[in-house]
């Protein structure tokens, strides 16, 4: 057994004639915090979309815990253990905070009950609902959101919405969490707090995190390894400090 | 008093049908114009099983089962392959399914109207008013079903998933919600409600034609739009409102010929004043 959680092999996608992403080879280890960085338009979110089944890769494939997931549907991939957040927040806005988390718990084996059980309020229904709510509250507590649980998601502040998105993704019990610019729009205090939270959930929930971020202090303070993308190809890869100080990377970022 | 009771019970029928329209619209984002014809299917099933067994309860159960299955099969065969297609293609398919159901019914049962003999529950007197028991049954059972549905959507896992799919299908998929299953359940529930509606409808007007579902279907759709399409309480409110208006108008000789015009006139006014319907959710575009 290898200790790789995610492995991508020559992952790539073409839109029409445009090679949006080519030959991405990521190796994310168990409990690792891995960064995916690069200038705007480098194809980072496209990689996320391929890993979650939103786009079908045209070349290459990817494995989660050794199991090939290419070609599986979005919800199957989620059940296998990849969960994500979105660059532009996509919460269920007109639902309460806790309801957002409960939806994400809905398809896990331990919390499943049939619509009929729900319709007739069987003992199984009550039992499962109580356990679901406890679990949801436990997750919200990690993010300090338990006081907000009955507020509508759309009424939360931007930074809090970002946290709720991570909480919701966590509720699907992933092995690998994909965070798409989690610190975007956060102030420095919130960013520092978020770094703590990401480390905490990595340990507490025993998972790996692959994250896209433009805030380099965030990336270098948090990630063990990074991959730098530019125009859809890998520019540098490896240990965070070394990769980010690569002259090619600096050139891509500041131009010249 | 009688008018109010009649109006409320007709309203309950409209509301039950309107719920089917509104739930499917809210969750699958499509207008299922074949929904009215499910009522017709339910009515013919009641007729046939009643002739075969003579037992009205078996007939009712059979109609609920057949309608639910019909709803699921129609969704699978006609609408599921079009998931992601343009709304217009889906709309035209729905109209096609509606014609198909009507034509098949016509092939089997002919186009003449057939009378159906449901058990007569008689009338009871409340405060000096003679009210048909069937009216009260419609009111009470309709009310219970709607309350049950509200609890189901609010309190259960499936209900939450339905709301999530309605809010953001893409995000729901990525949170592991089986969207196809949720849409199937929605069609099943909507069609089962239509089966109840067809029973109540026959208790008021005991004759069946292949186009039986069209008018109540369109009225219920109007009710759903008035209440705010996509909103479950909206469909209930719209249905009851429309039922009351219809019965009140019919009871006043001077305006009774214009009843239908008044109902659709109300729709136009609502659309002008509040295009999202009375309880419709305002979708704010974020810039």
């Amino acid at each position: 057994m290898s200790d790789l959680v995610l492995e991508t092999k020559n992952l790539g996608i073409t839109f029409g004639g445009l090679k949006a992403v080519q030959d991405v080879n990521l190796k994310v280890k168990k409990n690792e915090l891995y960064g995916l960085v690069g200038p705007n338009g480098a194809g980072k979110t496209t990689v996320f979309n391929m890993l979650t089944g939103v786009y079908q890769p045209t070349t290459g494939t990817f494995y989660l815990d050794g199991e090939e997931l290419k070609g599986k549907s979005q919800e199957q991939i989620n059940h296998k253990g990849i969960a994500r957040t979105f660059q532009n927040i996509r919460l269920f806005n007109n639902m309460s905070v806790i309801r957002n988390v409960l939806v994400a718990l809905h398809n896990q084996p331990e919390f499943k009950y049939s619509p009929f059980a729900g319709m007739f309020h069987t003992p199984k229904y009550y039992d499962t609902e109580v356990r679901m709510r406890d679990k949801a509250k436990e997750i919200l507590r990690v993010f300090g959101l338990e006081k907000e649980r009955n507020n509508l998601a759309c009424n939360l502040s931007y930074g809090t919405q970002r946290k709720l998105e991570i909480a919701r993704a966590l509720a699907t019990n992933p092995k690998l969490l994909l965070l798409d610019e989690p610190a975007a729009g956060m102030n420095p205090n919130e960013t520092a707090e978020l770094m703590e939270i990401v480390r905490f959930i990595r340990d507490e929930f025993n998972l790996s995190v692959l994250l896209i971020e433009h805030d380099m202090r965030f990336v270098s303070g948090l990630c063990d390894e990074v991959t730098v993308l530019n125009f859809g190809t890998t520019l540098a890869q490896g240990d965070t400090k070394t990769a980010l100080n690569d002259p090619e990377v600096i050139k891509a970022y500041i131009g010249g | 008093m009688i008018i109010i009771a009649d109006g409320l019970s007709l309203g309950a029928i409209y509301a039950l049908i309107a719920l089917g329209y509104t739930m499917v619209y809210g969750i699958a984002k499509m207008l299922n114009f074949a929904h009215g014809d499910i009522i017709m299917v339910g009515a013919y099933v009641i007729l046939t099983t009643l002739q075969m067994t003579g037992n009205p309860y078996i007939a009712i159960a059979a109609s609920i089962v057949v309608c639910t299955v019909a709803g699921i099969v129609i969704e699978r065969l006609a609408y599921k392959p079009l998931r992601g297609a343009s709304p217009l293609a889906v709309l035209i398919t729905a109209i096609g399914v509606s014609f198909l159901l009507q034509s098949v019914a016509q092939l089997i049962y002919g186009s003449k109207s057939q009378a159906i003999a449901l058990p007569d529950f008689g009338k009871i007197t409340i405060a000096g008013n003679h009210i048909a028991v069937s009216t009260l049954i419609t009111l009470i059972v309709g009310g219970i079903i709607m309350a049950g549905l509200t609890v189901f959507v609010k309190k259960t896992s499936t209900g939450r998933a339905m709301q999530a799919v309605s809010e953001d299908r893409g995000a729901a998929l990525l949170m592991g919600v089986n969207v196809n299953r949720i849409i199937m359940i929605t069609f099943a529930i909507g069609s089962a409600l239509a089966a109840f509606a067809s029973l109540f409808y026959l208790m008021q007007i005991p004759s069946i034609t292949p186009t039986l579902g069209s008018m109540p279907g369109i009225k219920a759709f109007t009710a759903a739009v008035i209440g705010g399409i996509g909103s479950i309480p909206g469909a209930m409110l719209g249905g009851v409102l429309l039922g009351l208006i219809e019965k009140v108008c019919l009871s006043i000789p001077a305006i009774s010929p214009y009843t239908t015009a008044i109902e659709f006139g109300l729709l136009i006014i609502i659309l002008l004043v509040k295009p999202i319907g009375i309880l419709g959710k305002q979708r704010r575009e974020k810039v």
Side-chain angles (χ1 to χ4, degrees), chain A residues 125-173:
Chain A
Y125 159 81
Y126 283 109
D127 170 62
T128 317
E129 280 288 314
V130 169
R131 283 191 293 117
M132 268 175 119
R133 279 183 187 274
D134 288 346
K135 178 82 184 174
K137 280 182 204 160
E138 186 191 315
I139 294 171
L140 288 176
R141 201 168 301 130
V142 171
F143 294 86
L145 286 169
E146 77 270 37
K147 280 204 202 83
E148 311 259 19
R149 68 174 179 271
N150 293 320
N151 292 345
L152 286 185
C154 59
N155 292 339
L156 299 177
S157 72
Y158 193 79
T160 319
Q161 289 193 356
R162 285 238 169 257
K163 283 199 267 181
L164 177 57
E165 248 205 340
I166 302 174
R168 184 181 65 172
L170 262 186
T172 66
N173 194 20

Short mmCIF file of all heavy atoms in Angstrom, two decimals, chain A residues 125-173:
data_model
loop_
_atom_site.label_atom_id
_atom_site.label_comp_id
_atom_site.label_asym_id
_atom_site.label_seq_id
_atom_site.Cartn_x
_atom_site.Cartn_y
_atom_site.Cartn_z
N TYR A 125 -36.36 6.95 11.83
CA TYR A 125 -36.29 8.35 11.40
C TYR A 125 -35.84 9.24 12.55
O TYR A 125 -34.91 10.02 12.42
CB TYR A 125 -37.66 8.80 10.87
CG TYR A 125 -37.88 10.28 10.88
CD1 TYR A 125 -37.35 11.08 9.86
CD2 TYR A 125 -38.58 10.90 11.90
CE1 TYR A 125 -37.54 12.44 9.87
CE2 TYR A 125 -38.77 12.27 11.91
CZ TYR A 125 -38.24 13.04 10.90
OH TYR A 125 -38.42 14.40 10.92
N TYR A 126 -36.51 9.07 13.72
CA TYR A 126 -36.16 9.92 14.86
C TYR A 126 -34.72 9.70 15.28
O TYR A 126 -33.97 10.64 15.53
CB TYR A 126 -37.11 9.64 16.03
CG TYR A 126 -38.46 10.26 15.85
CD1 TYR A 126 -39.58 9.50 15.58
CD2 TYR A 126 -38.60 11.65 15.92
CE1 TYR A 126 -40.82 10.08 15.40
CE2 TYR A 126 -39.83 12.24 15.73
CZ TYR A 126 -40.94 11.46 15.47
OH TYR A 126 -42.15 12.05 15.27
N ASP A 127 -34.34 8.44 15.35
CA ASP A 127 -32.99 8.10 15.78
C ASP A 127 -31.95 8.72 14.85
O ASP A 127 -31.01 9.38 15.28
CB ASP A 127 -32.86 6.57 15.81
CG ASP A 127 -31.44 6.14 16.00
OD1 ASP A 127 -30.89 6.49 17.06
OD2 ASP A 127 -30.87 5.48 15.11
N THR A 128 -32.17 8.55 13.52
CA THR A 128 -31.21 9.05 12.56
C THR A 128 -31.14 10.58 12.59
O THR A 128 -30.07 11.16 12.56
CB THR A 128 -31.58 8.59 11.14
OG1 THR A 128 -31.97 7.23 11.20
CG2 THR A 128 -30.41 8.73 10.20
N GLU A 129 -32.32 11.22 12.68
CA GLU A 129 -32.34 12.68 12.69
C GLU A 129 -31.56 13.24 13.88
O GLU A 129 -30.82 14.21 13.74
CB GLU A 129 -33.78 13.18 12.73
CG GLU A 129 -34.48 13.16 11.38
CD GLU A 129 -33.95 14.22 10.43
OE1 GLU A 129 -33.81 15.39 10.85
OE2 GLU A 129 -33.67 13.89 9.27
N VAL A 130 -31.73 12.61 15.04
CA VAL A 130 -31.03 13.09 16.23
C VAL A 130 -29.52 12.96 16.02
O VAL A 130 -28.76 13.90 16.27
CB VAL A 130 -31.48 12.32 17.49
CG1 VAL A 130 -30.55 12.62 18.66
CG2 VAL A 130 -32.92 12.68 17.84
N ARG A 131 -29.10 11.81 15.50
CA ARG A 131 -27.66 11.61 15.29
C ARG A 131 -27.13 12.59 14.25
O ARG A 131 -26.02 13.13 14.37
CB ARG A 131 -27.39 10.17 14.85
CG ARG A 131 -27.47 9.17 16.01
CD ARG A 131 -26.95 7.81 15.62
NE ARG A 131 -27.78 7.17 14.62
CZ ARG A 131 -27.38 6.85 13.40
NH1 ARG A 131 -26.14 7.10 13.01
NH2 ARG A 131 -28.20 6.28 12.55
N MET A 132 -27.94 12.83 13.20
CA MET A 132 -27.52 13.76 12.15
C MET A 132 -27.31 15.17 12.72
O MET A 132 -26.34 15.84 12.42
CB MET A 132 -28.60 13.85 11.07
CG MET A 132 -28.42 12.90 9.94
SD MET A 132 -29.87 13.05 8.86
CE MET A 132 -29.07 13.57 7.37
N ARG A 133 -28.29 15.60 13.53
CA ARG A 133 -28.18 16.95 14.10
C ARG A 133 -26.98 17.08 15.02
O ARG A 133 -26.28 18.10 14.99
CB ARG A 133 -29.46 17.29 14.87
CG ARG A 133 -30.52 17.72 13.91
CD ARG A 133 -31.80 18.15 14.51
NE ARG A 133 -32.70 18.35 13.38
CZ ARG A 133 -32.76 19.48 12.69
NH1 ARG A 133 -32.04 20.53 13.08
NH2 ARG A 133 -33.52 19.58 11.64
N ASP A 134 -26.72 16.02 15.81
CA ASP A 134 -25.54 16.06 16.68
C ASP A 134 -24.27 16.19 15.86
O ASP A 134 -23.39 16.98 16.17
CB ASP A 134 -25.48 14.77 17.53
CG ASP A 134 -26.55 14.78 18.61
OD1 ASP A 134 -27.12 15.87 18.84
OD2 ASP A 134 -26.82 13.72 19.19
N LYS A 135 -24.20 15.39 14.80
CA LYS A 135 -23.02 15.41 13.94
C LYS A 135 -22.86 16.79 13.30
O LYS A 135 -21.77 17.35 13.27
CB LYS A 135 -23.18 14.33 12.85
CG LYS A 135 -22.07 14.27 11.86
CD LYS A 135 -20.90 13.48 12.40
CE LYS A 135 -19.75 13.52 11.41
NZ LYS A 135 -18.56 12.89 11.96
N ALA A 136 -23.98 17.34 12.81
CA ALA A 136 -23.94 18.65 12.16
C ALA A 136 -23.46 19.72 13.14
O ALA A 136 -22.63 20.57 12.81
CB ALA A 136 -25.31 19.01 11.60
N LYS A 137 -23.97 19.64 14.38
CA LYS A 137 -23.57 20.64 15.38
C LYS A 137 -22.09 20.50 15.70
O LYS A 137 -21.38 21.48 15.89
CB LYS A 137 -24.40 20.47 16.65
CG LYS A 137 -25.77 21.10 16.55
CD LYS A 137 -26.51 20.93 17.86
CE LYS A 137 -28.01 21.00 17.62
NZ LYS A 137 -28.75 20.39 18.73
N GLU A 138 -21.63 19.25 15.75
CA GLU A 138 -20.23 18.99 16.05
C GLU A 138 -19.35 19.64 14.97
O GLU A 138 -18.34 20.28 15.27
CB GLU A 138 -20.03 17.48 16.08
CG GLU A 138 -18.68 16.99 16.52
CD GLU A 138 -18.55 15.50 16.24
OE1 GLU A 138 -19.50 14.75 16.55
OE2 GLU A 138 -17.49 15.10 15.70
N ILE A 139 -19.74 19.48 13.72
CA ILE A 139 -18.95 20.07 12.63
C ILE A 139 -19.00 21.60 12.71
O ILE A 139 -17.98 22.27 12.57
CB ILE A 139 -19.47 19.57 11.27
CG1 ILE A 139 -19.22 18.07 11.13
CG2 ILE A 139 -18.78 20.33 10.13
CD1 ILE A 139 -19.87 17.44 9.93
N LEU A 140 -20.21 22.14 12.98
CA LEU A 140 -20.33 23.59 13.05
C LEU A 140 -19.49 24.17 14.19
O LEU A 140 -18.94 25.26 14.10
CB LEU A 140 -21.80 23.99 13.24
CG LEU A 140 -22.69 23.79 12.01
CD1 LEU A 140 -24.13 24.13 12.34
CD2 LEU A 140 -22.21 24.67 10.85
N ARG A 141 -19.37 23.38 15.28
CA ARG A 141 -18.61 23.86 16.43
C ARG A 141 -17.14 24.06 16.06
O ARG A 141 -16.52 25.02 16.50
CB ARG A 141 -18.74 22.85 17.59
CG ARG A 141 -18.44 23.44 18.94
CD ARG A 141 -18.89 22.50 20.06
NE ARG A 141 -20.31 22.21 20.01
CZ ARG A 141 -20.82 20.98 20.05
NH1 ARG A 141 -20.04 19.93 20.14
NH2 ARG A 141 -22.13 20.80 20.00
N VAL A 142 -16.61 23.19 15.21
CA VAL A 142 -15.22 23.31 14.78
C VAL A 142 -14.98 24.69 14.16
O VAL A 142 -13.93 25.30 14.33
CB VAL A 142 -14.88 22.21 13.75
CG1 VAL A 142 -13.51 22.45 13.13
CG2 VAL A 142 -14.95 20.85 14.41
N PHE A 143 -16.00 25.18 13.47
CA PHE A 143 -15.85 26.45 12.77
C PHE A 143 -16.44 27.62 13.57
O PHE A 143 -16.54 28.73 13.06
CB PHE A 143 -16.54 26.37 11.40
CG PHE A 143 -15.87 25.41 10.47
CD1 PHE A 143 -16.19 24.06 10.50
CD2 PHE A 143 -14.89 25.85 9.60
CE1 PHE A 143 -15.56 23.17 9.66
CE2 PHE A 143 -14.25 24.96 8.77
CZ PHE A 143 -14.58 23.62 8.79
N GLY A 144 -16.84 27.35 14.80
CA GLY A 144 -17.44 28.40 15.61
C GLY A 144 -18.74 28.91 15.06
O GLY A 144 -19.08 30.09 15.19
N LEU A 145 -19.47 28.02 14.39
CA LEU A 145 -20.70 28.46 13.72
C LEU A 145 -21.95 27.97 14.44
O LEU A 145 -23.06 28.19 13.95
CB LEU A 145 -20.73 27.92 12.29
CG LEU A 145 -19.81 28.58 11.27
CD1 LEU A 145 -19.77 27.77 10.00
CD2 LEU A 145 -20.28 29.98 10.99
N GLU A 146 -21.78 27.31 15.61
CA GLU A 146 -22.98 26.68 16.17
C GLU A 146 -24.01 27.71 16.63
O GLU A 146 -25.20 27.43 16.65
CB GLU A 146 -22.62 25.67 17.29
CG GLU A 146 -22.25 26.26 18.62
CD GLU A 146 -20.74 26.53 18.71
OE1 GLU A 146 -20.15 26.93 17.69
OE2 GLU A 146 -20.15 26.36 19.79
N LYS A 147 -23.55 28.93 16.95
CA LYS A 147 -24.52 29.95 17.36
C LYS A 147 -25.33 30.46 16.16
O LYS A 147 -26.44 30.94 16.30
CB LYS A 147 -23.80 31.12 18.01
CG LYS A 147 -23.43 30.85 19.44
CD LYS A 147 -23.27 32.15 20.23
CE LYS A 147 -22.41 31.96 21.46
NZ LYS A 147 -20.96 32.02 21.17
N GLU A 148 -24.75 30.35 14.99
CA GLU A 148 -25.40 30.87 13.78
C GLU A 148 -26.29 29.82 13.13
O GLU A 148 -26.83 30.05 12.06
CB GLU A 148 -24.33 31.26 12.74
CG GLU A 148 -23.22 32.12 13.26
CD GLU A 148 -23.42 33.57 12.88
OE1 GLU A 148 -24.57 33.93 12.55
OE2 GLU A 148 -22.44 34.30 12.90
N ARG A 149 -26.45 28.65 13.76
CA ARG A 149 -26.98 27.53 13.01
C ARG A 149 -28.38 27.74 12.45
O ARG A 149 -28.74 27.13 11.45
CB ARG A 149 -26.92 26.24 13.84
CG ARG A 149 -27.83 26.20 15.04
CD ARG A 149 -27.77 24.82 15.67
NE ARG A 149 -28.61 24.75 16.84
CZ ARG A 149 -28.20 25.05 18.06
NH1 ARG A 149 -26.94 25.42 18.26
NH2 ARG A 149 -29.03 24.99 19.08
N ASN A 150 -29.18 28.62 13.08
CA ASN A 150 -30.53 28.80 12.56
C ASN A 150 -30.67 30.02 11.65
O ASN A 150 -31.76 30.33 11.18
CB ASN A 150 -31.53 28.88 13.72
CG ASN A 150 -31.61 27.54 14.43
OD1 ASN A 150 -31.60 26.50 13.79
ND2 ASN A 150 -31.65 27.56 15.76
N ASN A 151 -29.57 30.71 11.40
CA ASN A 151 -29.62 31.83 10.46
C ASN A 151 -29.59 31.31 9.03
O ASN A 151 -29.06 30.25 8.76
CB ASN A 151 -28.42 32.76 10.65
CG ASN A 151 -28.48 33.47 11.98
OD1 ASN A 151 -29.53 33.50 12.62
ND2 ASN A 151 -27.36 34.01 12.40
N LEU A 152 -30.14 32.11 8.12
CA LEU A 152 -30.05 31.74 6.72
C LEU A 152 -28.62 31.93 6.23
O LEU A 152 -27.94 32.89 6.63
CB LEU A 152 -30.99 32.60 5.87
CG LEU A 152 -32.48 32.31 5.98
CD1 LEU A 152 -33.25 33.16 5.00
CD2 LEU A 152 -32.76 30.82 5.73
N ALA A 153 -28.18 31.03 5.36
CA ALA A 153 -26.81 31.09 4.88
C ALA A 153 -26.50 32.42 4.20
O ALA A 153 -25.41 32.96 4.33
CB ALA A 153 -26.54 29.93 3.93
N CYS A 154 -27.51 32.98 3.50
CA CYS A 154 -27.24 34.22 2.74
C CYS A 154 -27.04 35.42 3.65
O CYS A 154 -26.56 36.45 3.22
CB CYS A 154 -28.37 34.48 1.73
SG CYS A 154 -29.99 34.63 2.48
N ASN A 155 -27.43 35.28 4.94
CA ASN A 155 -27.27 36.42 5.84
C ASN A 155 -25.92 36.43 6.57
O ASN A 155 -25.66 37.31 7.36
CB ASN A 155 -28.40 36.43 6.88
CG ASN A 155 -29.73 36.72 6.23
OD1 ASN A 155 -29.78 37.28 5.14
ND2 ASN A 155 -30.80 36.31 6.88
N LEU A 156 -25.09 35.44 6.29
CA LEU A 156 -23.78 35.39 6.94
C LEU A 156 -22.81 36.34 6.24
O LEU A 156 -22.98 36.67 5.07
CB LEU A 156 -23.20 33.97 6.88
CG LEU A 156 -24.00 32.86 7.54
CD1 LEU A 156 -23.30 31.53 7.29
CD2 LEU A 156 -24.14 33.12 9.03
N SER A 157 -21.78 36.73 6.99
CA SER A 157 -20.76 37.56 6.35
C SER A 157 -19.95 36.69 5.39
O SER A 157 -20.00 35.46 5.45
CB SER A 157 -19.83 38.14 7.41
OG SER A 157 -19.01 37.11 7.92
N TYR A 158 -19.22 37.36 4.52
CA TYR A 158 -18.48 36.65 3.48
C TYR A 158 -17.52 35.60 4.05
O TYR A 158 -17.54 34.43 3.65
CB TYR A 158 -17.71 37.68 2.66
CG TYR A 158 -17.16 37.15 1.38
CD1 TYR A 158 -17.98 37.00 0.26
CD2 TYR A 158 -15.82 36.80 1.27
CE1 TYR A 158 -17.48 36.52 -0.93
CE2 TYR A 158 -15.31 36.32 0.08
CZ TYR A 158 -16.14 36.18 -1.01
OH TYR A 158 -15.65 35.70 -2.18
N GLY A 159 -16.74 36.01 5.01
CA GLY A 159 -15.77 35.08 5.60
C GLY A 159 -16.47 33.89 6.25
O GLY A 159 -16.01 32.75 6.16
N THR A 160 -17.60 34.17 6.91
CA THR A 160 -18.34 33.10 7.57
C THR A 160 -18.94 32.14 6.54
O THR A 160 -18.98 30.93 6.75
CB THR A 160 -19.46 33.70 8.44
OG1 THR A 160 -18.95 34.85 9.09
CG2 THR A 160 -19.94 32.71 9.46
N GLN A 161 -19.41 32.70 5.42
CA GLN A 161 -19.94 31.85 4.35
C GLN A 161 -18.85 30.89 3.85
O GLN A 161 -19.11 29.72 3.59
CB GLN A 161 -20.45 32.70 3.18
CG GLN A 161 -21.72 33.44 3.51
CD GLN A 161 -22.38 34.03 2.29
OE1 GLN A 161 -21.86 33.96 1.18
NE2 GLN A 161 -23.55 34.63 2.47
N ARG A 162 -17.62 31.42 3.73
CA ARG A 162 -16.51 30.55 3.29
C ARG A 162 -16.32 29.40 4.27
O ARG A 162 -16.10 28.27 3.89
CB ARG A 162 -15.21 31.37 3.20
CG ARG A 162 -15.15 32.27 2.00
CD ARG A 162 -13.92 31.94 1.15
NE ARG A 162 -13.98 32.61 -0.12
CZ ARG A 162 -14.31 32.02 -1.27
NH1 ARG A 162 -14.59 30.75 -1.30
NH2 ARG A 162 -14.36 32.71 -2.38
N LYS A 163 -16.40 29.75 5.57
CA LYS A 163 -16.22 28.71 6.59
C LYS A 163 -17.33 27.68 6.50
O LYS A 163 -17.10 26.48 6.61
CB LYS A 163 -16.17 29.34 7.98
CG LYS A 163 -14.85 30.00 8.29
CD LYS A 163 -14.68 30.19 9.78
CE LYS A 163 -15.18 31.57 10.19
NZ LYS A 163 -15.04 31.83 11.62
N LEU A 164 -18.56 28.16 6.27
CA LEU A 164 -19.69 27.23 6.19
C LEU A 164 -19.52 26.30 4.99
O LEU A 164 -19.85 25.11 5.06
CB LEU A 164 -21.01 28.01 6.10
CG LEU A 164 -22.27 27.14 5.92
CD1 LEU A 164 -22.40 26.12 7.06
CD2 LEU A 164 -23.52 27.99 5.86
N GLU A 165 -18.98 26.85 3.90
CA GLU A 165 -18.77 25.99 2.74
C GLU A 165 -17.80 24.86 3.06
O GLU A 165 -18.00 23.73 2.64
CB GLU A 165 -18.20 26.83 1.57
CG GLU A 165 -19.18 26.95 0.43
CD GLU A 165 -18.50 27.21 -0.89
OE1 GLU A 165 -17.34 27.66 -0.89
OE2 GLU A 165 -19.13 26.94 -1.91
N ILE A 166 -16.75 25.19 3.81
CA ILE A 166 -15.81 24.14 4.19
C ILE A 166 -16.50 23.13 5.11
O ILE A 166 -16.35 21.92 4.95
CB ILE A 166 -14.56 24.74 4.87
CG1 ILE A 166 -13.88 25.73 3.94
CG2 ILE A 166 -13.58 23.64 5.28
CD1 ILE A 166 -12.72 26.48 4.56
N ALA A 167 -17.31 23.66 6.05
CA ALA A 167 -18.03 22.77 6.97
C ALA A 167 -18.94 21.83 6.20
O ALA A 167 -19.00 20.63 6.48
CB ALA A 167 -18.86 23.60 7.95
N ARG A 168 -19.63 22.37 5.20
CA ARG A 168 -20.55 21.55 4.42
C ARG A 168 -19.80 20.46 3.66
O ARG A 168 -20.23 19.31 3.62
CB ARG A 168 -21.31 22.46 3.44
CG ARG A 168 -22.37 21.74 2.64
CD ARG A 168 -23.08 22.67 1.69
NE ARG A 168 -22.19 23.18 0.66
CZ ARG A 168 -22.59 23.89 -0.38
NH1 ARG A 168 -23.86 24.20 -0.52
NH2 ARG A 168 -21.72 24.32 -1.28
N ALA A 169 -18.65 20.84 3.08
CA ALA A 169 -17.86 19.85 2.35
C ALA A 169 -17.36 18.76 3.30
O ALA A 169 -17.37 17.58 2.98
CB ALA A 169 -16.69 20.53 1.65
N LEU A 170 -16.95 19.18 4.50
CA LEU A 170 -16.46 18.22 5.49
C LEU A 170 -17.53 17.22 5.89
O LEU A 170 -17.24 16.06 6.18
CB LEU A 170 -16.03 18.96 6.75
CG LEU A 170 -14.57 19.27 6.93
CD1 LEU A 170 -14.38 19.88 8.30
CD2 LEU A 170 -13.74 18.01 6.80
N ALA A 171 -18.78 17.69 5.89
CA ALA A 171 -19.88 16.83 6.33
C ALA A 171 -20.06 15.63 5.40
O ALA A 171 -20.65 14.63 5.80
CB ALA A 171 -21.18 17.64 6.39
N THR A 172 -19.54 15.71 4.18
CA THR A 172 -19.67 14.55 3.29
C THR A 172 -18.59 13.50 3.58
O THR A 172 -18.46 12.53 2.85
CB THR A 172 -19.59 14.95 1.80
OG1 THR A 172 -18.28 15.44 1.53
CG2 THR A 172 -20.61 16.02 1.45
N ASN A 173 -17.82 13.73 4.64
CA ASN A 173 -16.84 12.77 5.13
C ASN A 173 -15.77 12.41 4.09
O ASN A 173 -15.60 11.25 3.73
CB ASN A 173 -17.57 11.50 5.58
CG ASN A 173 -16.67 10.61 6.40
OD1 ASN A 173 -15.66 11.07 6.93
ND2 ASN A 173 -17.01 9.33 6.49
#
